[in-house]
Amino acid sequence: MKLEQNDCYFLFSNTNIPDVFFTEYLSQSSGDSIKLYLYLLFLSKYNKDVKINDLSKKLNLPFKTIQESLKYWEDLGVITKKQTGYILTDLQEKELHHLYTPRLTSSPEVSCQNEKNQYRAKAIEEINNSCFQGVMSPSWYNDIDLWFNKFGFDEQVMIALFKYCFERSALHRNYVQTVAEGWSKNNIKNFTDLDNYYQKQEKVHQIKKSITKKLGFSRPLTQYENAYIEKWVIDFNYNMDIIEIALKKTTSKANPNFDYLDKLISDWHDRGFQSANDIHSFLSSFKQQQKNIKELEKKNNYNSYEQRNYENLDSLYAN
């Protein structure tokens, strides 16, 4: 027997969505996942028995998309799979359990943190107002406090972190943490460190543009080519005048590539060269040595030991 409700009943009913859904899940979820969740929330009020095929047809979504979305919400703990179907989690209760951490003991060090906590509170207030329009979810407070302790950022860096993600429309937890980890790996602790990091990144960006233009690339650089350039600029601290010497050495190559460029530039770095003049002097000296060796070979008609030492360099520096 199939029981149906009068359509007028739905006209006057409501489906409540907790605010925590908007603050915690909306920005990081796909439109299809949100569409499915809202429909499940609606159906859960009536204990409806529904199959995935029915959801696919009703929501006009592919069967695979329904499966992926169910798995997505299950991984987040928003729904729980049972033998007979799914149970929707009470999001408010879930966040309450996440936030509640009982403090059974207190230490003398706690009172010493008051001044630091005041600065942090002001930083969090600025983040809340500038990035969340004053409605930041309470769970962000725990995350921010964790990142302060984990990464050792000062207040200005933490504010800059959230503004950076906000400006890129990526203000969700995983992205913020990924950026924070990247900054931490670059030894960013205070705003001076961050400013120096930005300057290095801008230098890398400009050199990438210059290299792409000089090589006549109409395509974007690959991940590996970008990594080479970052090594030359950040690790070796080389400017474009040095890199351009290597670029000019590719003119006689049939298929110049970044592996060749990296071998050249890494060789210069290993030799301790710090300026374009150092490299020009070395290349001139090397060219003269090659010339002297060839003249000596021609005169004495033998392969010298010195020539064998220079075989690898010959192939590297041939132009």
Side-chain angles (χ1 to χ4, degrees):
M1 178 184 293
K2 182 179 181 181
L3 299 177
E4 298 183 2
Q5 291 175 319
N6 190 310
D7 289 342
C8 291
Y9 177 81
F10 295 102
L11 182 63
F12 300 104
S13 64
N14 297 294
T15 299
N16 295 321
I17 307 172
D19 287 347
V20 71
F21 176 78
F22 297 97
T23 59
E24 291 297 313
Y25 303 98
L26 185 67
S27 64
Q28 60 183 316
S29 304
S30 69
D32 291 339
S33 297
I34 294 171
K35 187 176 181 180
L36 174 66
Y37 174 76
L38 294 179
Y39 192 62
L40 292 178
L41 190 64
F42 163 72
L43 292 178
S44 66
K45 296 189 305 178
Y46 306 105
N47 293 318
K48 290 285 187 179
D49 183 12
V50 62
K51 298 178 180 178
I52 295 181
N53 280 330
D54 297 332
L55 290 173
S56 178
K57 294 175 182 177
K58 183 66 178 179
L59 298 177
N60 193 26
L61 292 174
F63 185 87
K64 184 179 180 182
T65 301
I66 297 293
Q67 288 182 311
E68 291 173 347
S69 297
L70 287 171
K71 181 66 165 56
Y72 170 76
W73 291 121
E74 189 178 354
D75 290 342
L76 289 178
V78 174
I79 62 176
T80 303
K81 190 173 184 179
K82 300 291 183 181
Q83 289 183 344
T84 57
Y86 290 90
I87 293 178
L88 269 70
T89 303
D90 185 324
L91 297 183
Q92 292 170 316
E93 183 180 359
K94 178 176 180 293
E95 290 305 310
L96 183 63
H97 282 297
H98 175 69
L99 291 170
Y100 177 66
T101 51
R103 299 178 182 272
L104 301 178
T105 60
S106 179
S107 63
E109 288 81 4
V110 172
S111 58
C112 298
Q113 297 295 321
N114 286 340
E115 185 175 357
K116 180 187 291 186
N117 290 340
Q118 289 178 4
Y119 286 120
R120 288 190 178 183
K122 290 180 180 179
I124 292 173
E125 182 180 2
E126 182 170 343
I127 291 170
N128 184 20
N129 292 330
S130 61
C131 300
F132 293 92
Q133 294 74 52
V135 288
M136 184 170 71
S137 169
S139 63
W140 279 105
Y141 290 83
N142 275 356
D143 292 321
I144 294 173
D145 191 52
L146 173 66
W147 294 333
F148 267 126
N149 295 328
K150 180 179 180 180
F151 301 120
F153 296 156
D154 70 8
E155 288 74 17
Q156 292 303 313
V157 171
M158 187 64 72
I159 293 170
L161 171 67
F162 274 82
K163 288 185 177 180
Y164 177 91
C165 298
F166 176 73
E167 289 167 359
R168 284 154 183 78
S169 301
L171 201 57
H172 48 82
R173 198 165 276 101
N174 290 340
Y175 185 80
V176 176
Q177 179 158 313
T178 299
V179 175
E181 288 172 348
W183 287 7
S184 179
K185 288 178 182 177
N186 283 278
N187 300 314
I188 295 172
K189 301 296 181 184
N190 54 49
F191 201 77
T192 301
D193 298 334
L194 182 61
D195 186 53
N196 291 334
Y197 172 76
Y198 279 147
Q199 290 180 24
K200 287 182 180 179
Q201 291 302 308
E202 179 60 22
K203 179 181 177 182
V204 170
H205 175 69
Q206 293 300 326
I207 288 179
K208 284 179 182 179
K209 285 177 60 178
S210 183
I211 290 174
T212 300
K213 183 178 179 180
K214 290 179 182 296
L215 291 178
F217 286 174
S218 58
R219 61 169 177 81
L221 296 174
T222 67
Q223 176 184 351
Y224 304 104
E225 290 168 342
N226 280 316
Y228 276 139
I229 297 174
E230 288 174 4
K231 180 173 78 170
W232 305 335
V233 177
I234 296 177
D235 296 345
F236 296 172
N237 198 28
Y238 280 171
N239 295 319
M240 189 61 202
D241 57 347
I242 291 179
I243 297 172
E244 189 162 14
I245 300 172
L247 293 177
K248 289 178 180 178
K249 300 289 289 182
T250 66
T251 55
S252 62
K253 297 291 180 182
N255 295 302
N257 55 54
F258 273 72
D259 287 333
Y260 171 70
L261 288 170
D262 184 60
K263 287 177 182 177
L264 275 177
I265 297 172
S266 295
D267 183 58
W268 299 340
H269 179 261
D270 291 342
R271 293 174 184 275
F273 300 152
Q274 297 181 351
S275 69
N277 288 335
D278 293 339
I279 296 167
H280 284 306
S281 297
F282 165 73
L283 293 176
S284 297
S285 175
F286 178 75
K287 188 175 181 180
Q288 184 61 47
Q289 284 178 313
Q290 281 186 309
K291 183 178 178 181
N292 294 340
I293 290 172
K294 288 179 180 179
E295 289 178 353
L296 184 62
E297 282 184 348
K298 186 177 180 180
K299 181 179 179 180
N300 298 301
N301 195 26
Y302 72 97
N303 292 326
S304 69
Y305 173 76
E306 288 82 1
Q307 176 62 32
R308 288 196 299 274
N309 277 343
Y310 279 92
E311 282 177 355
N312 290 334
L313 292 180
D314 283 344
S315 62
L316 184 61
Y317 289 103
N319 201 352

